[in-house]
Amino acid sequence: MERSTRKDGGCWLLVGGRRRLGRALAEDLAGDHDLVLTSSRPWAGETWLDGLSKRGRVQTLQWDAEGLDLVPRMMADLDTLETQGWVISGAVILAGSFPEAPFGTWTPKELEATWRLNLSFPFLCAQALAPRLPEGSCLQVVLDTSIHRPWLQRLPYSAAKAGLASLVPGLAQLLAPEVRVVGHALGVLLPQEAGGADGWAADPAQPHRRSRRPLPGRALRRRQPLPHRRDPHPGRRPALGGPVQSQRSVPQHPGGRRPHRASMPVHPPHGLPLALRLLRHGLRLLRGDHAGSG
């Protein structure tokens, strides 16, 4: 039986490890971890995997969100990994799409497709992976800043991410204290920032901007800050690119287990290199030998 040769004896599983941030994260982690990468399409022709395999063990799986046999396929693949001696010390769910869907163009078919890949699929992946994670491991979910300010031209996508964000504190409570669950609300990486060639169209309604046009029949009023939301240090600002921690407390478990926090850092959209660096920093902090403190 083949065993991992790495010091921690485990591997990282990246759901959606073929393109963009998933591929960049895989290339960065390969030097220190064995990897299991999933994709919705066959892996034939992915020549970049050759260089990855020279740095460590890499196993590829095909998990198609559209497949009728998705759940049995995931369970069978995970059983095979266990039989072959792979121990999953951490998992990152990155899979998703970024469809433009302006209000007035929605159809049941398109809504179902958007929510299947961006909401249902991550839920099913988390359900399949959670029982396989050993004590002290970490399950991480990649979100984006639309959970706080929705993309107006992509509201179905934003709604899916908001639903996925609610999974993080819920799973954190269910799996605590053995497994830690973390959500990363990254800034969306558009081609203008990341220099990608896949051609995602920019949203004219940027999530960090608010429309100054009032709704019909309503006057535009200036919103006054609430007293409890005032910044006690108005002259201080976080360092450029630093994550803004948004901790959500989870109440005490009825069974007596200690409270657990679901960490959801929010990262500004400064491009793929910075997003990768911030996500990598989170991964290293939450590796198996650090994540068990709860």
Side-chain angles (χ1 to χ4, degrees):
M1 180 181 298
E2 186 180 8
R3 294 286 181 179
S4 173
T5 59
R6 303 307 174 94
K7 293 180 180 180
D8 58 4
C11 68
W12 279 87
L13 189 148
L14 307 184
V15 180
R18 175 196 292 270
R19 301 171 61 235
R20 294 174 62 80
L21 185 58
R23 172 176 171 176
L25 186 59
E27 292 174 336
D28 183 77
L29 292 176
D32 300 316
H33 303 275
D34 295 327
L35 297 176
V36 178
L37 310 177
T38 82
S39 174
S40 60
R41 301 195 306 271
W43 286 87
E46 297 292 335
T47 57
W48 63 275
L49 289 175
D50 298 336
L52 218 60
S53 300
K54 297 177 182 178
R55 303 167 59 192
R57 288 198 310 166
V58 178
Q59 177 71 38
T60 57
L61 305 174
Q62 184 179 353
W63 291 357
D64 186 3
E66 305 289 338
L68 299 177
D69 62 339
L70 173 62
V71 174
R73 178 71 174 267
M74 289 192 297
M75 302 307 293
D77 288 341
L78 293 174
D79 287 339
T80 301
L81 290 175
E82 286 187 359
T83 302
Q84 295 176 350
W86 291 76
V87 178
I88 302 174
S89 60
V92 187
I93 300 177
L94 306 106
S97 62
F98 194 54
E100 184 173 355
F103 182 67
T105 65
W106 302 341
T107 64
K109 182 178 180 180
E110 292 178 351
L111 290 177
E112 182 181 359
T114 298
W115 292 335
R116 182 187 300 116
L117 181 55
N118 293 285
L119 184 62
S120 300
F121 180 60
F123 266 61
L124 293 175
C125 290
Q127 177 180 256
L129 290 169
R132 315 286 181 136
L133 296 175
E135 184 175 356
S137 58
C138 182
L139 174 63
Q140 308 203 38
V141 182
V142 175
L143 309 166
D144 67 48
T145 53
S146 67
I147 66 175
H148 303 293
R149 294 186 176 92
W151 291 79
L152 300 185
Q153 299 299 316
R154 293 173 167 85
L155 285 179
Y157 164 85
S158 301
K161 288 298 182 181
L164 187 57
S166 68
L167 176 68
V168 174
L171 273 185
Q173 183 176 0
L174 288 174
L175 303 180
E178 291 81 10
V179 176
R180 179 161 184 163
V181 181
V182 178
H184 296 274
L186 301 175
V188 177
L189 308 177
L190 297 176
Q192 293 88 335
E193 296 170 330
D198 1 354
W200 282 357
D203 192 333
Q206 296 293 335
H208 60 277
R209 295 178 181 174
R210 294 180 179 175
S211 173
R212 301 298 297 170
R213 184 177 59 185
L215 295 176
R218 294 186 181 182
L220 182 64
R221 295 180 298 176
R222 183 178 299 275
R223 179 177 298 178
Q224 298 296 329
L226 297 178
H228 68 277
R229 297 183 61 184
R230 289 176 181 169
D231 188 355
H233 305 287
R236 296 174 55 184
R237 293 186 179 181
L240 179 63
V244 180
Q245 296 292 335
S246 175
Q247 299 285 348
R248 298 186 178 183
S249 299
V250 180
Q252 176 70 38
H253 193 276
R257 291 192 291 184
R258 59 184 173 176
H260 189 62
R261 286 185 179 271
S263 175
M264 196 161 314
V266 180
H267 307 302
H270 292 302
L272 181 60
L274 178 59
L276 174 60
R277 186 168 73 250
L278 293 171
L279 181 56
R280 181 176 65 234
H281 178 67
L283 288 172
R284 289 178 175 173
L285 287 179
L286 298 168
R287 286 169 55 184
D289 53 345
H290 296 288
S293 60

